[in-house]
Amino acid sequence: TSSGTTFLCGVLFAPILFLRKAGQIMLRYIFRRVLFLIPVLVGVAFCVFLLLYLTPGDPAKMVLGDLATEQAIQEFREKEGLNDPFWIRFGKYIYKAVVKGDIGRSYSSKTPVMKELMAAFPATIKLSGFAMIIAVIIGLPCGIISAIKQYSVFDTITMIFAMIGLSMPVFWLGLLLILLFSVKLRWLPSSGFDTFKAMILPSFALSAQAISMVTRMTRSSMLEVIRADYIRTVRAKGQTERVVIWGHALHNALIPVMTIVGLQFGHLLSGAMLTESIFAVPGLGRLMVTSIMARDYPMVQGAVLFVATAFSIVNLLVDILYAYVDPRIKAQYK
């Protein structure tokens, strides 16, 4: 569809439009990175296609039901191209996606896949964005204080909770939060995503691992920077500890933290599947789970490709942002 083509072109070239004043060298770098996304997305589409092809079960029987006749099943398979060899089916899919911007039509709802993805994406981006904000608000200060007060009681407790956050599965944490705050205390709703109160539990459940990663990376990066020679020089000149930490050390320590934040946001987009299923959030993750259960191949392929595109764009934007934080990285683009 034309809307699908417009969306894909807009997503791929958004960084170029966003940084149109960055200069010719920067634009060449962005253009190369955008071109590099094409084989990455084709590879993702191939892997998903292959996995679904090897998955047992007949989507025709899942869609039509157990009472469907053999003739109806064969007609459905012929209409949807399920009887074609793997390479022909994959070639047709790539051709339609690239040339026409059409990534298929859902077996279940009979509506274009892109239309359903665009309807579900706002809930996922809101959930992931809110979870990432929580991770930065909690993880960044905890990591900084842990580095400043290394081996203190606060540092020890923070690292213990960070390890627990990394180790605890999202679905288990989500169930514990529902049991405590919804069933026992009755403070927060256990499902939905329409109100601010309904957003709290799923966002905290999804942000647990991101909080831990941001905390650990911030602590590690700050410890490395505050031991550098130039920090000793700043201290020797009589600067206060507040100026040393916030004016000099934090600026350079944020570069690796930005990498983690960008990667974690991409992981949150792709990892919201379990969280959305547990808390009944109408996003991409829940749509993907429902489509997998129904053997809705076009929807699964489209959802995975959509998430992979979003993940790649987030990484690209983080790489571009490096140049505005550290001039040494900008020099490498020449």
Side-chain angles (χ1 to χ4, degrees), residues 10-265:
V11 167
L12 288 176
F13 292 96
I16 295 179
L17 298 177
F18 178 72
L19 294 168
R20 59 186 181 276
K21 297 181 180 180
Q24 185 177 3
I25 296 175
M26 197 69 178
L27 289 178
R28 284 203 300 267
Y29 169 78
I30 300 172
F31 186 73
R32 289 198 303 267
R33 288 296 305 271
V34 170
L35 291 180
F36 182 72
L37 291 182
I38 297 176
V40 171
L41 296 179
V42 172
V44 170
F46 174 79
C47 292
V48 177
F49 231 91
L50 181 61
L51 289 175
L52 293 176
Y53 181 79
L54 298 176
T55 301
D58 189 351
K61 293 181 180 180
M62 295 290 295
V63 174
L64 299 178
D66 297 332
L67 300 179
T69 62
E70 187 64 28
Q71 181 181 358
I73 292 175
Q74 291 301 323
E75 289 178 354
F76 180 87
R77 292 182 61 84
E78 189 65 30
K79 177 183 177 182
E80 300 296 337
L82 298 176
N83 291 327
D84 295 335
F86 171 80
W87 289 108
I88 293 179
R89 290 169 55 186
F90 180 70
K92 289 181 178 179
Y93 181 80
I94 294 298
Y95 173 78
K96 289 182 179 180
V98 174
V99 177
K100 300 181 179 180
D102 182 10
I103 56 176
R105 185 176 293 268
S106 172
Y107 291 161
S108 303
S109 62
K110 309 301 181 184
T111 58
V113 170
M114 182 60 71
K115 182 178 180 180
E116 294 204 26
L117 293 178
M118 293 302 295
F121 186 62
T124 298
I125 195 67
K126 184 166 66 171
L127 173 61
S128 302
F130 198 50
M132 196 69 253
I133 291 174
I134 293 174
V136 172
I137 291 177
I138 297 177
L140 200 61
C142 288
I144 295 172
I145 297 173
S146 293
I148 297 173
K149 301 180 180 297
Q150 188 182 15
Y151 304 130
S152 64
V153 175
F154 179 87
D155 183 31
T156 303
I157 295 175
T158 300
M159 289 301 100
I160 290 175
F161 276 101
M163 187 61 65
I164 294 174
L166 286 174
S167 306
M168 184 173 292
V170 175
F171 67 88
W172 179 246
L173 178 59
L175 293 176
L176 290 180
L177 292 176
I178 290 175
L179 181 62
L180 177 60
F181 293 101
S182 297
V183 178
K184 296 294 184 182
L185 300 178
R186 299 182 182 277
W187 289 353
L188 299 169
S190 60
S191 62
F193 206 63
D194 298 331
T195 63
F196 178 77
K197 291 181 64 176
M199 294 170 57
I200 295 177
L201 287 185
S203 298
F204 269 97
L206 184 61
S207 66
Q209 293 187 357
I211 292 173
S212 302
M213 289 295 297
V214 172
T215 301
R216 290 168 62 88
M217 179 54 69
T218 303
R219 178 182 182 272
S220 176
S221 181
M222 280 294 295
L223 285 175
E224 182 179 352
V225 171
I226 61 179
R227 293 168 181 169
D229 293 337
Y230 75 92
I231 294 296
R232 295 193 190 98
T233 303
V234 172
R235 285 197 176 105
K237 290 181 178 180
Q239 294 289 350
T240 63
E241 193 66 17
R242 176 177 296 181
V243 173
V244 171
I245 297 299
W246 299 102
H248 297 274
L250 183 60
H251 180 79
N252 291 320
L254 282 179
I255 296 176
V257 176
M258 286 170 50
T259 304
I260 290 298
V261 170
L263 292 176
Q264 284 299 310
F265 186 68

Side-chain angles (χ1 to χ4, degrees), residues 132 136 210 214 254-270 310-319 321-322:
M132 196 69 253
V136 172
V214 172
L254 282 179
I255 296 176
V257 176
M258 286 170 50
T259 304
I260 290 298
V261 170
L263 292 176
Q264 284 299 310
F265 186 68
H267 283 300
L268 292 179
L269 287 174
S270 58
F311 189 94
S312 301
I313 293 299
V314 169
N315 289 338
L316 175 58
L317 291 176
V318 171
D319 289 344
L321 190 59
Y322 283 166

